Amino acid sequence: MSHVPALARFVDEHPRLFVLTGAGVSTASGIPDYRDANGDWKRKSPILLQEFINDDFMRRRYWARSLIGWRHLSKAQPNAAHDALAELEAQGRIELLVTQNVDGLHQAAGSNNVVDLHGRIDTIRCLSCDSTMPRKAMQDAVEQLNPEFARLDARSAPDGDADLDDIDFSRFDVPGCRSCNGMLKPDVVFFGERVPDVRVEQAMAAVDTADAMLIVGSSLMVWSGFRFAKAAAAAGKPIAAINMGRTRADDLLQLKLERSCTEVLPLLTTSRNLPA
Ligand SMILES: [Zn+2]
């Protein structure tokens, strides 16, 4: 296992970092991670795109759980890891920050150069007319239609989804698009759904121009993120990771810190050898 000075040197020696972040960055903001230190599911696996689109019951259940989970998620604030990455960007050290998180906390902390690989949970998109609306407006509509569900509470999960057992979801009303009455979906990439090409291309271009890759708080268990580590390694770019537990890229890493990113990242912003 490597130590902080080695990582500080890594950051100093590679002034243009391609940063990839995952759920571990947001756990200190109260947004739980789906996976354990071994990269395995902690809970039932999340809803698949095909289930959401084709299964009326699953869709009602998704929105019922999301109704409760969103209250918790919408209050989340950036933590020291988000702040440190925003500071590193302000210091000109970050080529691009690609996040697998959908919570928008990097932008809330002040990062500007961000690709939301898996979309944003605070936005709703119509699958028919492609119009978007804020999640807040969806929340109001869902609560008005389902006052008895609005009174419920539950443990929340990473995507604003929540555990609600023994509830009759068939009575849950899901509003349609205001413009066309089409099916509404959170503007996030569900499991079983492709990441839009434009995001992958932007991220791959930054892998090319960056000096090195820094993985923060991700086990890279899904291909959508792991592919950037593969690409960086193939291009001969060194890769470092700050992650509690195993990552799928462990074989590709030059160094790894199995420590909390909220402890480690703030230490990197004060490294002496700032880029010219
Ligand atoms: Zn529509």
Side-chain angles (χ1 to χ4, degrees), residues 18-22 96-103 106-107 114-120 187-190 193-204 213 218 220 222-228:
F18 176 88
V19 179
L20 180 67
T21 70
L96 184 68
L97 194 165
V98 175
T99 185
Q100 298 170 292
N101 300 337
V102 297
D103 52 39
H106 285 301
Q107 291 89 339
V114 179
V115 169
D116 296 299
L117 195 62
H118 295 162
R120 288 282 292 262
D187 197 16
V188 302
V189 175
F190 278 18
E193 185 173 3
R194 277 172 60 87
V195 174
D197 288 342
V198 61
R199 295 179 201 161
V200 176
E201 285 159 12
Q202 190 184 351
M204 283 298 183
M213 177 173 183
S218 176
L220 297 185
V222 289
W223 171 250
S224 66
F226 180 59
R227 66 178 132 201
F228 301 115

Side-chain angles (χ1 to χ4, degrees), residues 29-173:
S29 293
I31 300 174
D33 192 351
Y34 269 129
R35 293 176 188 272
D36 62 22
N38 220 22
D40 296 324
W41 296 116
K42 286 179 186 169
R43 306 165 67 249
K44 281 174 298 195
S45 49
I47 191 167
L48 300 170
L49 177 68
Q50 292 310 317
E51 292 173 332
F52 184 89
I53 290 176
N54 297 325
D55 188 329
D56 184 65
F57 175 80
M58 291 291 278
R59 190 167 56 255
R60 287 172 197 268
R61 189 175 73 167
Y62 175 89
W63 282 115
R65 295 164 67 185
S66 173
L67 163 66
I68 310 301
W70 172 254
R71 290 184 194 142
H72 172 73
L73 197 55
S74 63
K75 293 186 190 116
Q77 297 292 321
N79 62 54
H82 298 105
D83 291 344
L85 287 167
E87 175 62 24
L88 286 172
E89 181 190 282
Q91 293 174 359
R93 295 162 175 241
I94 294 183
E95 185 75 2
L96 184 68
L97 194 165
V98 175
T99 185
Q100 298 170 292
N101 300 337
V102 297
D103 52 39
L105 291 181
H106 285 301
Q107 291 89 339
S111 286
N112 296 306
N113 200 11
V114 179
V115 169
D116 296 299
L117 195 62
H118 295 162
R120 288 282 292 262
I121 195 75
D122 59 3
T123 304
I124 303 292
R125 187 175 293 276
C126 172
L127 295 179
S128 298
C129 73
D130 211 39
S131 65
T132 59
M133 67 192 268
R135 178 66 178 78
K136 173 75 174 70
M138 180 70 175
Q139 186 77 4
D140 294 345
V142 166
E143 287 189 357
Q144 273 176 18
L145 277 175
N146 302 279
E148 60 180 302
F149 285 89
R151 288 194 291 270
L152 298 171
D153 206 349
R155 279 192 299 133
S156 64
D159 57 355
D161 211 7
D163 287 320
L164 290 179
D165 296 323
D166 308 321
I167 302 279
D168 180 9
F169 294 109
S170 63
R171 290 181 294 120
F172 192 86
D173 273 334

Side-chain angles (χ1 to χ4, degrees), residues 126 128-131 177-182 184:
C126 172
S128 298
C129 73
D130 211 39
S131 65
C177 171
R178 285 170 180 169
S179 310
C180 77
N181 204 34
L184 297 173

